[in-house]
Amino acid sequence: MSSHAEPVSVRILDREYTVGVNADERDGLVAAARLLDARMREIRGNNRMVALDRVAVLAALNLAHEVQQLRQERDAQQRELAGTLDTLNRRLDGLLGG
């Protein structure tokens, strides 16, 4: 992994932003910028008079909500997996002990 940050330019709603990022994180940043651009364009729609800060906040809120939902799903899956592993371990203990 490289610890050297390189400048990467991304376009979001027709504005260019330059961000310093490690080379191994470049593709992820570009993909995130594309996702954000798409969400902001979707929220703005055909109304180009909507304030950019409002569009940005709504896009950020939508993405944060999705992240929160994914975290809750992941946590539920981890709890389910832990329960299943616990059940299997108890069954194995029962078979080996008996």
Side-chain angles (χ1 to χ4, degrees):
M1 284 192 188
S2 171
S3 62
H4 177 69
E6 61 180 46
V8 175
S9 293
V10 295
R11 288 190 70 78
I12 300 171
L13 275 188
D14 302 322
R15 292 185 182 189
E16 189 163 320
Y17 300 89
T18 301
V19 181
V21 65
N22 294 335
D24 58 339
E25 297 174 340
R26 183 183 193 285
D27 292 341
L29 174 73
V30 170
R34 277 194 220 115
L35 175 63
L36 180 58
D37 181 62
R39 291 296 174 89
M40 289 178 71
R41 287 179 187 282
E42 181 182 309
I43 290 168
R44 183 185 67 182
N46 292 329
N47 186 354
R48 297 197 180 260
M49 299 305 290
V50 176
L52 180 62
D53 61 337
R54 179 171 172 76
V55 172
V57 167
L58 290 173
L61 182 59
N62 287 338
L63 290 169
H65 182 249
E66 286 180 25
V67 168
Q68 185 61 31
Q69 285 179 317
L70 289 170
R71 285 180 178 166
Q72 289 173 347
E73 289 173 15
R74 181 203 59 206
D75 292 347
Q77 289 172 346
Q78 286 178 340
R79 283 190 300 273
E80 184 178 341
L81 179 60
T84 300
L85 288 174
D86 185 51
T87 299
L88 290 173
N89 281 329
R90 280 188 274 120
R91 286 182 183 174
L92 281 173
D93 288 345
L95 289 173
L96 295 175

